[in-house]
Amino acid sequence: MKRLVLALALALPACGLHPLYQGGGSGPVARGLASVAVAPIEGKSGYLVSNALRDRLPDSAGAAARYRLQVRLDDNIIGLGITRDNRVTRERRTLRARFQLVDAQTGETVLDATAGSDTGIDVVDSEYATISAENAALERLSDIVADQIVTRVALFMRRNPAQ
């Protein structure tokens, strides 16, 4: 047992894992994320995703943005559970994003990727409750998509620190 623990302890540094935010707020990833400006995103889902992105990106402290993050969203609700009298009892809300990180100086797209998530919603007899559940689902999906976008941009900054 001791040999196994010793072998694992020796193998751990060689696993290739490195902290993403190495160097904290002054590290290359944090500085790179602080140089990203979020372009306006259309619609209610765009408003929510845009705010979530701004909450997750470090403050640029007044510096000019080196990158512009452009996001296009596809927000969709489809009925899944149908009763015999054609009433929907379950919905699936999907939020997909195509995002591009654009160099503000050259206009070149340096990162082009997608993010997305979905969730199920119970449709009940109360229209107010169903609409409230749909809105809550959109807020959760907006946070999830924003997290995915920031993670992908942070990975780009990690791989391209000179960018």
Side-chain angles (χ1 to χ4, degrees), residues 29-111:
V29 173
R31 284 193 318 269
L33 290 176
S35 68
V36 175
V38 179
I41 310 170
E42 292 182 19
K44 179 180 181 179
S45 57
Y47 170 78
L48 292 171
V49 170
S50 178
N51 281 344
L53 286 169
R54 287 187 182 97
D55 288 344
R56 286 155 177 77
L57 293 171
D59 186 27
S60 65
R66 169 124 163 76
Y67 299 100
R68 183 177 63 253
L69 183 62
Q70 299 174 330
V71 181
R72 285 194 313 267
L73 296 173
D74 180 25
D75 180 18
N76 198 5
I77 299 178
I78 58 170
L80 293 177
I82 308 290
T83 62
R84 289 183 184 166
D85 59 349
N86 287 332
R87 285 184 328 134
V88 174
T89 59
R90 187 89 174 143
E91 293 176 336
R92 178 177 162 188
R93 186 162 205 161
T94 306
L95 184 63
R96 301 279 180 251
R98 177 171 183 214
F99 62 95
Q100 296 175 318
L101 189 64
V102 178
D103 188 315
Q105 295 170 348
T106 65
E108 176 188 0
T109 300
V110 294
L111 176 64

Side-chain angles (χ1 to χ4, degrees), residues 75-83 86-95 117-138 140-141:
D75 180 18
N76 198 5
I77 299 178
I78 58 170
L80 293 177
I82 308 290
T83 62
N86 287 332
R87 285 184 328 134
V88 174
T89 59
R90 187 89 174 143
E91 293 176 336
R92 178 177 162 188
R93 186 162 205 161
T94 306
L95 184 63
S117 189
D118 59 77
T119 189
I121 304 165
D122 287 327
V123 178
V124 295
D125 290 335
S126 168
E127 187 176 339
Y128 174 79
T130 301
I131 292 171
S132 178
E134 290 172 352
N135 288 333
L138 179 59
R140 284 191 311 274
L141 291 173

